Amino acid sequence: MSEEGITTLNGTMMNGNIELTNGRAHKEGANGFIHIKNPHISNMDEDVLYHFALGTKSHDLKKMFGDVKFVCIGGSPRRMERFAHFLVKELGYNVPSGLALENITNATDRYAMYKVGPVLSVSHGMGVPSVSIMLHEIIKMMFHAGCTDVEFFRIGTSGGLGLKPGTVVVTSEAVDGQGKASQDNLVLGKVVSRPSVLDKDLAERLLQCSMNDDFEVIMGKTMCTDDFYEGQGRLDGAFCDYNEDEKMAYLQDCHNRGVRNIEMESVCFGSMCHHAGIKCAVVCVTLLDRLQGDQVSTPHDVLDSWSQRPMTIVARHIKNRMKTL
């Protein structure tokens, strides 16, 4: 492989494995570069990003995405479309006359993606399997586009622990249901564990973006589960083999260990971004206090207004960062 050219894949030996980067040979973990730890990519005639309906031959990924500096992901396609429109106003982005924001991945119904200047707003579905598929492809997309110094954000909703509903939690550490800050994957029948690491400086900057708002923004641990019902200790699923006392003891123990909210993607998000050398952060609003109940009964219009809160915090950070780009 040639060492010249921006889009050329470069191979570097790292602990016996080939690591491909979108820059020249560098030390593992060096700031700015997207890490693709897969030697097979360089031998492929075309890399098809199937769930985005994009590819390295069918699309000019560098032209389309080479300027991206921020990737914001959230579960709902509708919410991420709304975030894109919110960014248009917040960033003062001029949409050309007669045009409108377009879902870049409208050829597929798996995910939605919108681009506002250097910002991507992308839906990821619900749970680790869905966000994992999306992250594999968007990390490769950023790599093929030659992007550097990209920050990733997950913005979404969650269940709170001991917090007033509507509180925004900036995640200090993402842990699983056993309190481990790592993701376990079955690869070829063997368990592969990778640390889930969020960027502490990025989290602090986001916390500082709270400015006389009518809602509270705090920092705390986020617990990521593989299930919405039993995995989160709910009593209202189709199955439940524990009693209310056992549920409350578990949730209280989580709270005592610093967990302030519960969702279903953060550990995977932190693990994959860290493995790719990407700075990342998680910002979620709480829709209820799980120490008080299991079901969300707040009116939908109120929930919609609450879901805007993480968007506001992240948009402020992006505006601040764009001043230095």
Side-chain angles (χ1 to χ4, degrees), residues 7-203:
T7 60
T8 299
L9 304 183
N10 298 297
T12 306
M13 291 302 297
M14 297 291 180
N15 299 322
N17 297 314
I18 292 290
E19 174 181 309
L20 301 178
T21 70
N22 53 6
R24 295 179 182 274
H26 64 284
K27 294 181 180 179
E28 188 171 13
N31 290 334
F33 296 101
I34 304 292
H35 302 244
I36 301 294
K37 301 182 178 181
N38 181 355
H40 306 289
I41 297 294
S42 60
N43 296 322
M44 297 169 62
D45 183 53
E46 179 180 12
D47 190 4
V48 177
L49 309 178
Y50 173 73
H51 300 88
F52 286 151
L54 298 170
T56 54
K57 275 193 172 181
S58 57
H59 297 79
D60 187 342
L61 298 181
K62 184 170 181 59
K63 182 178 180 180
M64 294 173 67
F65 304 109
D67 63 336
V68 169
K69 295 295 181 183
F70 310 95
V71 175
C72 303
I73 70 171
S76 163
R78 182 175 66 89
R79 187 185 306 141
M80 298 318 291
E81 179 181 10
R82 188 172 67 178
F83 181 55
H85 285 281
F86 178 67
L87 284 173
V88 169
K89 296 179 181 179
E90 289 297 300
L91 302 182
Y93 184 74
N94 292 319
V95 178
S97 178
L99 299 179
L101 287 180
E102 180 184 1
N103 177 10
I104 298 170
T105 61
N106 58 12
T108 175
D109 59 0
R110 295 297 183 184
Y111 303 104
M113 180 190 298
Y114 300 87
K115 187 175 185 295
V116 181
V119 188
L120 283 185
S121 180
V122 191
S123 68
H124 61 61
M126 181 179 288
V128 165
S130 184
V131 77
S132 171
I133 294 168
M134 188 279 296
L135 284 171
H136 270 286
E137 297 190 12
I138 204 159
I139 288 171
K140 289 197 298 174
M141 189 178 83
M142 295 291 95
F143 169 77
H144 291 306
C147 298
T148 58
D149 299 309
V150 185
E151 296 177 346
F152 276 43
F153 303 89
R154 173 172 135 64
I155 54 178
T157 59
S158 63
L161 281 184
L163 299 177
K164 177 183 177 182
T167 300
V168 173
V169 178
V170 178
T171 304
S172 59
E173 184 179 43
V175 299
D176 66 11
Q178 295 179 311
K180 299 185 303 178
S182 60
Q183 182 188 17
D184 292 339
N185 286 318
L186 275 176
V187 181
L188 302 183
K190 299 178 181 179
V191 176
V192 175
S193 184
R194 292 174 181 151
S196 181
V197 181
L198 306 176
D199 190 87
K200 293 182 179 180
D201 179 64
L202 192 53

Side-chain angles (χ1 to χ4, degrees), residues 154 174 196 222-224 263-271 282:
R154 173 172 135 64
S196 181
T222 296
M223 183 168 72
C224 174
E263 46 84 272
M264 298 174 63
E265 294 86 16
S266 58
V267 164
C268 175
F269 177 68
S271 172
V282 178

